[in-house]
């Protein structure tokens, strides 16, 4: 089936429209004493909105002892909604973070310091009855506070009728686990085919191959990752929820260890030794009187008619949430309402960055999408419920002209549930991005807008409105 761009926009479904009502009580030091949220999400023609995620992530960055969250899903005569990066979380985060920034203004507390005083850390009780595992929430706050961006002055507006503001927001994504499977096949030259079912949507071929290479003690170029269909490998859950590098990576580590065991048993037979007498370290097999690196061992086993394979399936249950903190500078033209992003810095906990360039790319991509959500992107329906802006001419997304280089600070607080400390990184980056941009506009204009996107007409209407 081939669809035009207009058909894609009209029929494939956006993320949910939402309405969130938040109430937070604090003492004179800004410590949260109670919090409540009512989250309403539009689902389209039948149920299935990301309501649970929106509810669970709403107060994710905060330590709460008294909290109540209610959620409603509303069916409307529109296409069914679909998942969009960190489904549901940016919606509720926008409301909560906007209110927290208002509280910081009222109490004259630095917004970063307010988050530090209320930061969720390991052991924090959460609204769904679970407790927070080890995470990098505070470390990300520290990274932003120590960044050149946070320490630099905002600077003067570029001309008359313009104003600048610096926004701040914090967000969390839970990072899913579920099940992953993969197979390994050794070749005579020491290369290994890694057969996986996790679709590569963010560089996961490389990140999984790197984890396997670490276990085998070989260069990553000898690992050949292949993504196959469901008839060719064991069950894999969806490639989403920021689970792939973590969970499929754990499957690769387990399968790699099993492959080494198979190779050790084969070499023991060839060398006339017990398997327990052969050691494997950093890609080298050491027997009582023999030595072979990984490729040599593969050649020996191949010549003897042995080429081991290994398979693994994992289904971890311990999630490893990731936090991301944003600082955003904007300049607003008070006459036209146009908002220009001047600078953006994000600090995010990656657990351990398996391949830092890809991690930075995920962080920057989330910021870019979040900026579009905050300032540009909107579905317009006419009175008959027909989408009016069903082209990329009328549906504005950010381009390279709309954003500055995005500064990414990778924070590494290892996930104890992963052998290498990995956390998912694909989604936390977008959660608080709309709220950060909105806060920057509020500080520039003195008007806090509560609807997204913060388009020029809305900015002009807010500026013209009397206090």
């Amino acid at each position: 089936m081939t669809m035009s761009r207009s058909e894609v926009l009209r029929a494939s479904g956006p993320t949910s429209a939402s309405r969130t009502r938040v109430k937070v009580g604090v003492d004179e030091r800004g410590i949260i004493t109670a919090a409540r949220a009512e989250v309403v999400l539009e689902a389209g023609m039948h149920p299935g909105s990301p309501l649970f995620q929106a509810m669970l992530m709403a107060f994710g960055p905060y330590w709460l002892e008294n909290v109540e969250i209610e959620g409603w899903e509303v069916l409307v005569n529109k296409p069914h909604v679909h998942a969009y990066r960190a489904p549901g979380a940016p919606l509720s985060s926008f409301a909560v973070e906007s209110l927290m920034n208002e509280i910081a203004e009222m109490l004259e507390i630095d917004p970063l310091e307010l988050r530090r005083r209320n930061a969720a850390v390991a052991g924090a009780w959460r609204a769904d009855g679970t407790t927070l595992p080890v995470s990098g929430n505070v470390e990300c706050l520290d990274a932003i506070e120590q960044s050149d961006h946070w320490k630099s002055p905002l600077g003067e507006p570029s001309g008359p009728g313009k104003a600048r503001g610096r926004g701040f927001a914090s967000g969390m994504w839970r990072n899913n686990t579920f099940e992953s499977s993969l197979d390994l096949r050794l070749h005579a030259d020491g290369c290994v085919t890694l057969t996986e079912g996790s679709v590569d949507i963010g560089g996961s071929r490389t990140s999984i191959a790197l984890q396997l290479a670490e276990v085998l003690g070989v260069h990553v170029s000898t690992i050949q990752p292949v993504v196959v269909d469901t008839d060719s490998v064991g069950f894999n859950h969806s490639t989403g929820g920021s689970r792939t590098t973590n969970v499929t990576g754990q499957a690769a580590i387990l399968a790699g260890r099993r492959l080494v065991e198979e190779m050790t048993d084969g070499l023991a037979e060839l060398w006339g030794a017990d398997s327990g007498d052969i050691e494997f370290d950093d890609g080298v097999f050491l027997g009582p009187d023999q030595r072979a690196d990984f490729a040599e061992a593969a050649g020996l086993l191949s010549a003897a008619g042995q080429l081991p394979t290994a398979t693994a399936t994992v289904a971890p249950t311990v999630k490893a949430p990731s936090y991301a903190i944003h600082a955003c500078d904007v300049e607003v033209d008070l006459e036209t309402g146009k908002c220009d992003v001047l600078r953006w810095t994000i600090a995010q906990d990656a657990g351990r960055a398996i391949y830092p360039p890809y991690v930075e790319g995920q962080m920057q991509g989330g910021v870019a999408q979040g900026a579009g959500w905050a300032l540009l992107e909107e579905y317009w329906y006419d009175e008959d419920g027909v989408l009016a802006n069903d082209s990329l001419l009328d549906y504005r997304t950010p381009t390279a002209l709309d954003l500055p280089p995005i500064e990414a600070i990778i924070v590494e607080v290892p996930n104890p549930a992963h052998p290498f400390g990995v956390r998912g990184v694909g989604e936390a980056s977008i959660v608080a991005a709309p709220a950060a941009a909105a806060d920057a506009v509020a500080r520039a204009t003195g008007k806090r807008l509560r609807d997204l996107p913060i388009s020029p007409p809305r900015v002009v209407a807010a500026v013209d409105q009397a206090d």
Side-chain angles (χ1 to χ4, degrees):
M1 182 173 69
T2 302
M3 300 172 70
S4 68
R5 177 64 68 189
S6 175
E7 288 169 338
V8 169
L9 285 166
R10 284 188 286 119
S12 60
T15 189
S16 297
S18 70
R19 180 170 295 171
T20 305
R21 187 182 185 93
V22 183
K23 187 175 184 179
V24 174
V26 297
D27 63 18
E28 66 278 2
R29 295 184 58 248
I31 305 300
I32 297 173
T33 56
R36 190 179 193 280
E38 299 172 4
V39 184
V40 183
L41 261 59
E42 193 175 89
M45 66 183 76
H46 53 80
S49 70
L51 179 61
F52 175 74
Q53 294 95 316
M55 295 168 66
L56 185 61
M57 297 300 109
F59 296 109
Y62 304 105
W63 184 297
L64 302 176
E65 295 185 0
N66 303 290
V67 59
E68 182 179 61
I69 304 174
E70 292 187 25
W72 292 270
E73 184 173 74
V74 180
L75 304 187
V76 296
N77 189 27
K78 292 179 183 177
H80 178 58
V81 300
H82 289 282
Y84 190 84
R85 199 178 204 142
L91 303 171
S92 55
S93 174
F94 170 62
V96 171
E97 291 303 291
S98 296
L99 181 56
M100 292 301 293
N101 284 326
E102 286 190 61
I103 291 172
E105 289 179 348
M106 293 172 63
L107 296 179
E108 298 182 346
I109 299 175
D110 180 273
L112 191 151
E113 175 60 26
L114 181 66
R115 268 67 172 200
R116 189 188 303 281
R117 294 180 186 180
N118 291 284
V121 295
W125 183 82
R126 302 171 68 198
D128 64 344
T130 63
T131 55
L132 184 69
V134 174
S135 66
N137 190 13
V138 173
E139 288 80 359
C140 288
L141 290 169
D142 292 341
I144 288 292
E145 187 174 40
Q146 296 162 12
S147 69
D148 179 70
H149 186 169
W150 197 252
K151 293 178 180 179
S152 299
L154 183 58
E156 295 297 321
S158 61
K162 296 186 177 182
R164 292 187 175 188
R166 174 167 295 166
F168 180 88
S170 57
M172 168 195 178
W173 181 249
R174 61 177 183 168
N175 294 336
N176 289 330
T177 48
F178 305 126
E179 186 176 352
S180 283
S181 303
L182 55 74
D183 301 331
L184 305 179
R185 186 170 72 252
L186 179 67
H187 299 279
D189 61 356
C191 290
V192 177
T193 297
L194 186 162
T195 303
E196 58 171 308
S198 296
V199 180
D200 190 341
I201 60 173
S204 59
R205 279 187 179 91
T206 299
S207 63
I208 295 167
L210 281 164
Q211 293 177 75
L212 176 61
E214 183 74 15
V215 173
L216 302 181
V218 299
H219 193 273
V220 69
S221 61
T222 66
I223 309 299
Q224 302 164 348
V226 180
V227 177
V228 297
D229 61 27
T230 53
D231 292 329
S232 306
V233 73
F235 179 75
N236 278 262
H237 207 278
S238 61
T239 304
S242 297
R243 59 173 293 277
T244 306
T245 294
N246 177 355
V247 181
T248 307
Q250 290 189 49
I253 292 168
L254 178 58
R257 290 170 177 170
R258 288 174 176 173
L259 183 64
V260 168
E261 292 175 359
E262 292 291 325
M263 294 176 70
T264 300
D265 292 341
L267 290 173
E269 184 178 340
L270 294 179
W271 290 345
D274 292 331
S275 297
D277 294 331
I278 297 177
E279 296 181 0
F280 178 77
D281 182 54
D282 197 22
V284 177
F285 293 90
L286 296 171
D289 302 305
Q290 300 90 355
R291 180 188 185 280
D293 64 25
F294 192 86
E296 292 170 340
L300 291 171
L301 293 170
S302 177
Q306 302 180 44
L307 276 177
T309 62
T311 187
T313 297
V314 298
T317 58
V318 179
K319 293 179 172 61
S322 186
Y323 286 85
I325 314 296
H326 298 254
C328 169
D329 296 353
V330 302
E331 181 172 88
V332 181
D333 188 315
L334 301 176
E335 182 178 357
T336 66
K338 186 175 185 296
C339 302
D340 293 320
V341 179
L342 305 176
R343 188 172 186 180
W344 202 306
T345 300
I346 174 175
Q348 181 174 328
D349 178 15
R352 183 169 184 181
I354 294 297
Y355 189 58
Y358 280 169
V359 174
E360 290 182 359
Q362 291 285 355
M363 295 165 66
Q364 292 162 340
V367 168
Q369 285 185 308
W373 198 334
L375 303 173
L376 299 172
E377 299 182 49
E378 185 172 19
Y379 274 55
W380 280 94
Y381 290 93
D382 64 21
E383 293 180 355
D384 297 322
V386 177
L387 184 66
N389 59 331
D390 58 347
S391 75
L392 294 186
L393 178 64
D394 299 312
Y395 182 90
R396 275 275 283 125
T397 59
T399 70
L401 300 177
D402 297 302
L403 293 171
I406 297 164
E407 302 165 50
I409 303 173
I410 299 175
V411 176
E412 295 184 296
V413 177
N415 165 24
H418 187 286
F420 299 149
V422 172
R423 298 178 190 273
V425 298
E427 290 168 283
S429 54
I430 195 176
V431 174
D439 187 44
V441 173
R443 294 177 185 278
T445 62
K447 306 286 186 176
R448 191 164 293 276
L449 281 76
R450 304 181 188 276
D451 295 302
L452 297 179
I454 301 174
S455 57
R458 285 177 173 155
V459 173
V460 171
V463 171
D464 290 345
Q465 186 178 21
D467 291 329

